[in-house]
Amino acid sequence: LQARLDRALPGTVNITTSWSSDDKRVLVWSGGASDPGRYFLLDRKEARMHPVIEPYPSVDPAQLAEVRPVTYQARDGLSLPAYLTLPRGLEARGLPLILLPHGGPFSRDEWEYDSLVQFLASRGYAVLQPQFRGSTGYGKAFVARGYGEIGRKMQDDLDDGVDWLVKSGKVDPKRVCIVGMSYGGYAAL
């Protein structure tokens, strides 16, 4: 079923969210980091799918900034995944940057629509969402690298992401801000 959904709705994340008791109807969410998504009702018996709910009808995905997965190196050589969002219509040179670490810290960002990221990008900011050591979803060893590193190597990982973007020329080192909630707020302090 997942393979068929992915073929029918290419370029999006497709998740079955609910099933009827007889398994003949399925509620499917489809969207992504640059698409707030919508819900479809799949009738498995008829092999037909119909849109049923669009949570953000006024948001045009064509106007949203692309959220790209990237990787950069920490100062100790650890490869760090991140999401980078660059504003639409602006050259990726000397941009102001918002560093947006996730909460937790033993959590992670997902490749999904984030209204804050899109709002910031629509105002001309590059947004970096680093998956610093300790972030989940990259294996136990990656999580374990975060033990005892709050305010230490976890913080270095954030700084290293900024340095990587500055060296690339994409961001202006004099226009960098860190914003976060939960652990991200602690990291910002």
Side-chain angles (χ1 to χ4, degrees):
L1 176 60
Q2 187 66 52
R4 289 184 10 228
L5 287 171
D6 292 343
R7 280 193 304 274
L9 302 163
T12 57
V13 175
N14 305 301
I15 301 169
T16 59
T17 62
S18 186
W19 294 72
S20 64
S21 58
D22 62 4
D23 289 341
K24 291 182 181 175
R25 289 181 307 255
V26 182
L27 188 62
V28 176
W29 177 84
S30 179
S34 302
D35 179 353
R38 61 209 47 80
Y39 288 88
F40 294 89
L41 182 62
L42 169 63
D43 183 323
R44 295 179 72 203
K45 183 178 179 189
E46 300 290 324
R48 298 175 84 180
M49 192 162 43
H50 306 281
V52 290
I53 302 169
E54 191 166 349
Y56 301 95
S58 63
V59 175
D60 178 5
Q63 298 299 312
L64 299 177
E66 179 185 5
V67 180
R68 297 181 311 176
V70 295
T71 304
Y72 65 91
Q73 297 294 316
R75 62 190 69 183
D76 65 0
L78 182 62
S79 187
L80 297 168
Y83 294 112
L84 177 62
T85 306
L86 299 174
R88 290 175 54 87
L90 295 178
E91 182 184 359
R93 308 286 313 150
L95 295 168
L97 172 68
I98 304 290
L99 179 63
L100 188 61
H102 60 74
F106 300 103
S107 181
R108 67 166 289 170
D109 288 310
E110 300 285 344
W111 191 78
E112 62 190 8
Y113 177 71
D114 185 318
S115 58
L116 177 59
V117 169
Q118 291 296 333
F119 172 76
L120 295 169
S122 76
R123 298 306 184 258
Y125 293 96
V127 180
L128 182 65
Q129 297 171 273
Q131 308 306 299
F132 45 84
R133 68 190 72 221
S135 298
T136 58
Y138 301 100
K140 288 181 181 180
F142 195 81
V143 170
R145 286 180 173 262
Y147 297 159
E149 296 299 337
I150 292 175
R152 294 183 176 105
K153 288 183 180 178
M154 282 180 170
Q155 201 71 27
D156 291 344
D157 292 348
L158 303 178
D159 294 341
D160 294 342
V162 173
D163 292 344
W164 168 70
L165 284 171
V166 167
K167 286 178 188 165
S168 76
K170 288 182 174 72
V171 303
D172 178 349
K174 294 182 179 179
R175 298 189 298 159
V176 175
C177 177
I178 182 170
V179 175
M181 294 154 273
S182 180
Y183 170 76
Y186 173 82
L189 288 175

